[in-house]
Amino acid sequence: MHRLQINHLTVYQYSDTVTLLPHKLLLRPREGHDIRIESAELSITPAYQLHWQRDVYDNAVALATFTGQGNRLSIASRMLLQRFDNQPLDFLVEDYAVYYPFQYDAAERIDLTPYLSALFEEDLGVLGGWMRQFWYAGQVVETYLLLDWINKAIATGFTYQQREEPGVQTPAVTLNKRSGSCRDFATLFIEACHSLGLAARFVSGYLFSSTLPLGQGSTHAWAEVYLPGVGWKGFDPTSGQLVGNDHIAVAVSRHPESVPPISGSFVADSPQSPIMSVVVEVSPVLGVAMD
């Protein structure tokens, strides 16, 4: 078991007094057998009301509505959690899916249909050319090895660049530039899976890295592939690794542009884009968890 403290502070500074419209917050990790939240605190200014709900993907969504005006919006999330995934390679795929190609069970395929469709159909030609290095028609290969090849090829063959622009690059753009952010790499991996007829989805969350100075962390994005007998298995094409204890999933989605950590808008007499600052700290916590 791995205990982590996550502090996530986002501040928007406006040039003038504004009226804040409702904001959607995706900041609370997805709890389950692999993640348990010990404590969670959310602090927001100016004055607000908070309503919790679940979206269609069962993500925990906090909807903040504001009762006053201001020239600064501050959203601070503080969480202490336990992570249980020390052996990400310890899994068994159903016999019929050990080797690719395979077909999903008919009943499961109905539910997986939204995760099988290409998101950027106009890029299928370019993507197909890149994918021929991993698999060709008539070839039989172990399913995990195929996914591992693609995952590692993105991590080693592309240059990571942090991008502040909203949205994601299309797979064709990422392939052309040979660079991108974590969300761009996740999108490329997901579309690669779609081209193979494998169900895949986008994941946003946090990452703890022991290579960073103590306490530093980051928001992060990766992909999950549905493997029969295993369920949704995480692959991180930024590092080329399987998802494990250092990844904390917050939200999943069919489309990579639909789950930003914070989204909302404002009304002002002379609207200008606010100055945004984000600080994320992810630190290991020693000691025994208290029930």
Side-chain angles (χ1 to χ4, degrees):
M1 187 264 285
H2 198 39
R3 298 178 77 213
L4 293 171
Q5 175 74 51
I6 301 174
N7 298 324
H8 183 173
L9 173 64
T10 303
V11 176
Y12 298 90
Q13 187 66 52
Y14 302 93
S15 59
D16 203 348
T17 299
V18 302
T19 299
L20 294 167
L21 300 179
H23 279 55
K24 184 173 74 171
L25 315 179
L26 287 164
L27 299 171
R28 184 179 178 89
R30 292 171 61 89
E31 290 187 271
H33 68 277
D34 55 347
I35 292 181
R36 176 188 174 190
I37 298 175
E38 288 188 36
S39 62
E41 179 183 353
L42 193 59
S43 301
I44 304 173
T45 57
Y48 68 99
Q49 293 180 337
L50 199 66
H51 300 279
W52 287 94
Q53 59 192 45
R54 293 278 181 178
D55 65 12
V56 69
Y57 302 104
D58 202 34
N59 299 316
V61 181
L63 184 65
T65 55
F66 299 91
T67 57
Q69 294 182 316
N71 62 359
R72 184 177 185 270
L73 170 60
S74 173
I75 301 172
S77 172
R78 179 180 175 86
M79 291 170 290
L80 177 61
L81 56 85
Q82 302 168 19
R83 186 74 168 90
F84 302 87
D85 196 2
N86 293 318
Q87 298 177 310
L89 281 169
D90 185 15
F91 64 91
L92 292 174
V93 179
E94 289 281 4
D95 289 344
Y96 76 87
V98 170
Y99 290 96
Y100 179 85
F102 68 88
Q103 292 292 325
Y104 288 113
D105 175 84
E108 285 191 326
R109 189 175 183 85
I110 294 173
D111 295 321
L112 293 173
T113 297
Y115 305 100
L116 290 165
S117 302
L119 302 174
F120 301 91
E121 293 187 2
E122 66 278 9
D123 290 3
L124 290 178
V126 175
L127 182 63
W130 182 70
M131 287 295 293
R132 279 193 285 273
Q133 65 184 298
F134 306 111
W135 184 81
Y136 55 85
Q139 181 184 9
V140 177
V141 62
E142 188 176 340
T143 303
Y144 167 71
L145 285 180
L146 176 58
L147 293 169
D148 190 51
W149 291 340
I150 300 169
N151 199 39
K152 285 184 167 59
I154 297 173
T156 58
F158 295 73
T159 301
Y160 172 79
Q161 289 185 338
Q162 187 173 0
R163 293 194 305 108
E164 299 299 333
E165 301 90 348
V168 298
Q169 293 179 169
T170 69
V173 171
T174 301
L175 289 169
N176 180 58
K177 289 186 173 182
R178 310 297 294 184
S179 67
S181 66
C182 59
R183 62 187 187 273
D184 301 323
F185 293 162
T187 300
L188 175 58
F189 183 89
I190 289 167
E191 286 293 78
C193 291
H194 289 163
S195 74
L196 295 170
L198 299 176
R201 66 185 184 183
F202 184 84
V203 187
S204 66
Y206 298 102
L207 176 68
F208 167 72
S209 175
S210 59
T211 62
L212 293 173
L214 186 63
Q216 286 192 18
S218 66
T219 55
H220 195 50
W222 58 95
E224 288 181 342
V225 183
Y226 187 82
L227 297 176
V230 181
W232 292 102
K233 190 65 179 174
F235 290 81
D236 184 351
T238 301
S239 65
Q241 302 297 314
L242 282 178
V243 168
N245 269 347
D246 293 339
H247 295 76
I248 304 97
V250 171
V252 301
S253 176
R254 181 185 66 84
H255 200 286
E257 294 185 344
S258 63
V259 284
I262 299 172
S263 58
S265 57
F266 65 93
V267 177
D269 292 335
S270 55
Q272 297 181 15
S273 297
I275 298 173
M276 182 180 72
S277 62
V278 180
V279 178
V280 178
E281 299 173 341
V282 184
S283 306
V285 178
L286 302 178
V288 180
M290 302 298 292
D291 291 325

